Structures are given as C-alpha cells and as structure tokens.
Amino acid sequence: MSIIEQYGWNESFAQSLPEQKIPGRVILEHKSGYRVMTDFGEWPATLSGNYRHSHSRDEFPSVGDWVALEQMPGEDKGIIHQLLPRSSRFTRKAAGETSEMQTIAVNLDYVFLVMSLNHDFNVRRLERYLVAAWDSGAMPVVVLTKSDQCEDPAIYLKEVAATAFGVDVFAVSALTGAGMEAFGRYLTGGKTGALLGSSGVGKSSLINALTDSEKMAVQDIREDDSKGRHTTTHRELVLLPGGGLLIDTPGMREFQLADSADGLETSFQDITSFAAECRFRDCSHQQEPGCRIQSALASGELPEERYASYLKLLRELDYIERKSDLAKQQAERAVWKQRTKEYRSRPVKKR
C-alpha cells in the first residue's frame, strides 16, 4: 500500500487529478502554508500565485483536503495548483457579523461530537453540533469522555439517545481504556474522522490513547467548573496505528450554524414528524385545532426545552439566509458599480 493510500486516497479522488500533478493530502495548516503528505513523504507546500488570486479564502485548502501539487525543482516542497472535489465538509459561521462560512474539516467519514461527563455535558449544545454534522455529509457519532469520573454514564447515554436519533453514542475513558476499543473500530482502512467539541473535553487525550503516545499536549481542566483550557491550537490530521485517520481541532467556545437547513430537519426528525400530522398543512403550531405539535407538548411526548431549541436554531438559520442573500446583493451591486465606472472612464471615440 502506498503512502497516500494509507491516508485515504481512492479512485474517486484519482479521477479528478490533473495530468502531470502529484496528489497529496493536507495534514496541517499554518499561517505561512501547509504540510502535505505525498507518496514522496511529507512536504511543506504553498498555494500557487494564480490559485491564491483567483479563489476566495473560503476556497483555500483545509486539513483533510486532497490537492494537486507540483514539486519545486530540486526541493522536497510543493506548489498547490488545484483542490480536488470534497466528499464532505464540516463548517460553521465565521465569528462576528460576517455571513462567511469557516471550514473546520473536510473529506470526513465520521464527525465525532465530543462531550465530557461533567459540567461540559449540554444536550442543547449537542443539538446544534448535530445539525451541522448531518449537513456536512459525514456520519455523526457522539462520544462521551471521562466516563471514569462519572458514577452512572448510562443516565447520560439515555439522554443523548433521546436526542440524537439514528446516531451511535458511547462513553469512553482515555485513562482506563473503557470504550476505546469500540471507538477505534470506526477508524480503520483509511477512514477519516474529526473530533469536535469544547476545550477540555479530552479530544487530544483520545488521540494519545489511540496512538499509545503523548503526541498531543494535554492540560488539566479547572476543578470548580470543569472548563477546559485550550491545548490544541491548530487542526492536524493524524494517522492511527489501526489504519484510520483522525483530525484534532481546537476547542470551540462559540459555534454558530452555517446554512444547515437539511441538517436541522434530520436532527429534529421527531418534530418534523409531529408537524406532518397536523390537521392543516399551513399550521403555525400556535392555536390551530388539530395541531400535533401542541398536543405532543401537552402530553410530554415532545419536551418543551427541545422544541424551544428547535425554534431557536430555525430562527438562526432564517437570519443567516437573509443575511447571505443581502451579502450577495451587495456583492452584485459592487460588481455592476465597478463595471459602470470602467465604462464611463473609457475614452470617447471621435468620429
């Protein structure tokens, strides 16, 4: 097996590779460039000038991407000329007032949503992550860490199962090894996963346990509130002894959804199923007779907290969509304004 085959290279990626170019997978991204794994080893790489100036920042490579490279003459370095099509992409809205999306990881088979069994456990936050995970094109899996510090993990497993429909969920301990074998079964044969979660939930400890090393630095959490300190400061793709690959990511204190309408419907399929049973097709789920949502809330079939979370995420996605449309309109106006300016500045031909 070649090096890049170990890193997940397959025929679907090969079909998009331009002639005379070298395939490589981005394993690390930093300010000055990238580290890319090729069949000739690990190379530092930079974007070609043409690629950099003809693509937006959102179209730049991310950790997990497959790229087409040219080797610098006489050096073990590469120039990235093309980004190969992605099989999946996990994103969030960039921080601040912008409507731009930030790519977290790409070409994933699994998105591991990590929460620890302490103060970090938060079902409402998990719902938010699940929406983005379903929308990414990868399969979400919920991993509850630090089970050795919890008296009864089964309580938490049951609560997650009632929220994460169709999603595997299990508790693990990187310290004692409990549950790690089941976790490791996902990561074989070139399969790629990414660890997503808050700071201090034990993402780096999971990688250390899977690699039987101290590859990733770890820090203790604060005892008073179980809040984590940032340990991982960059995204990195790691090849595991079992043949799988795992992307460690920095902890995210803020997670705003990108355009995840399909993921919302999948994550809250219980609510969409109730809504389909309403008497009126245009039911607003307020005071209409025969509203199945209201009857489910009254009977306790649908917890009020879950429905409130759904409405909050729905409003957030509606806002993002409106803002995105406005940004597109402004960009189009700017283009036409520039074209008009260029047209008016042209010299008039004398007859």
Side-chain angles (χ1 to χ4, degrees), residues 110-117 120-123 125-131 133-134 138-146 153 156-173 179 182-184 186 194-197 201 206 267:
Y110 301 105
V111 174
F112 296 108
L113 306 176
V114 186
M115 292 195 307
S116 57
L117 294 173
D120 176 74
F121 186 84
N122 186 316
V123 171
R125 190 194 316 127
L126 176 61
E127 289 171 339
R128 179 177 292 269
Y129 275 94
L130 281 167
V131 170
W134 281 120
M139 176 63 69
V141 177
V142 179
V143 183
L144 303 179
T145 60
K146 306 183 182 182
Y156 296 92
L157 290 167
K158 184 178 180 181
E159 187 172 356
V160 171
T163 298
F165 300 104
V167 175
D168 290 343
V169 51
F170 53 93
V172 303
S173 169
F183 178 44
Y186 291 91
L195 299 171
L196 282 302
V201 297
L206 288 176
S267 297

Side-chain angles (χ1 to χ4, degrees), residues 47-307:
L47 296 172
S48 70
N50 180 60
Y51 190 99
R52 185 178 297 276
H53 292 104
S54 61
H55 293 76
S56 65
R57 184 66 185 84
D58 184 53
E59 297 173 303
F60 284 10
S62 296
V63 174
D65 263 321
W66 286 101
V67 295
L69 297 148
E70 174 189 0
Q71 185 176 10
M72 292 184 182
E75 297 187 73
D76 290 334
K77 297 180 180 179
I79 301 173
I80 298 173
H81 288 276
Q82 185 175 323
L83 186 69
L84 302 189
R86 295 161 167 169
S87 62
S88 61
R89 180 189 183 201
F90 188 93
T91 62
R92 68 172 176 178
K93 192 182 85 65
E97 294 300 317
T98 178
S99 60
E100 295 180 358
M101 292 191 299
Q102 179 187 15
T103 299
I104 305 300
V106 298
N107 293 326
L108 304 171
D109 297 287
Y110 301 105
V111 174
F112 296 108
L113 306 176
V114 186
M115 292 195 307
S116 57
L117 294 173
N118 53 26
H119 292 87
D120 176 74
F121 186 84
N122 186 316
V123 171
R124 303 285 82 84
R125 190 194 316 127
L126 176 61
E127 289 171 339
R128 179 177 292 269
Y129 275 94
L130 281 167
V131 170
W134 281 120
D135 203 55
S136 73
M139 176 63 69
V141 177
V142 179
V143 183
L144 303 179
T145 60
K146 306 183 182 182
S147 62
D148 57 286
Q149 301 178 21
C150 178
E151 292 185 4
D152 191 0
I155 296 175
Y156 296 92
L157 290 167
K158 184 178 180 181
E159 187 172 356
V160 171
T163 298
F165 300 104
V167 175
D168 290 343
V169 51
F170 53 93
V172 303
S173 169
L175 181 64
T176 67
M180 291 301 297
E181 183 179 352
F183 178 44
R185 292 196 194 106
Y186 291 91
L187 297 165
T188 59
K191 297 292 185 181
T192 302
L195 299 171
L196 282 302
S198 306
S199 299
V201 297
K203 300 188 298 294
S204 297
S205 296
L206 288 176
I207 291 183
N208 288 342
L210 289 169
T211 58
D212 194 24
S213 70
E214 296 297 324
K215 180 176 179 62
M216 300 296 181
V218 296
Q219 293 185 23
D220 293 332
I221 61 172
R222 298 198 302 256
E223 294 298 332
D224 56 344
D225 58 4
S226 300
K227 296 291 184 181
R229 303 181 179 91
H230 280 289
T231 301
T232 301
T233 57
H234 59 270
R235 301 177 187 93
E236 182 175 357
L237 179 69
V238 178
L239 179 63
L240 303 175
L245 301 116
L246 202 52
I247 298 176
D248 191 17
T249 65
M252 292 183 283
R253 290 196 176 96
E254 178 184 4
F255 187 84
Q256 297 187 56
L257 294 176
D259 184 9
S260 305
D262 292 339
L264 183 71
E265 183 173 342
T266 303
S267 297
F268 290 88
Q269 55 189 270
D270 54 337
I271 293 178
T272 56
S273 294
F274 285 138
E277 297 174 10
C278 289
R279 181 183 302 176
F280 302 108
R281 189 171 296 179
D282 60 348
C283 184
S284 65
H285 315 306
Q286 297 297 319
Q287 303 296 328
E288 294 92 338
C291 176
R292 185 68 177 89
I293 293 286
Q294 289 301 321
S295 67
L297 288 169
S299 67
E301 293 175 88
L302 176 59
E304 292 185 8
E305 297 85 355
R306 180 164 172 78
Y307 187 55

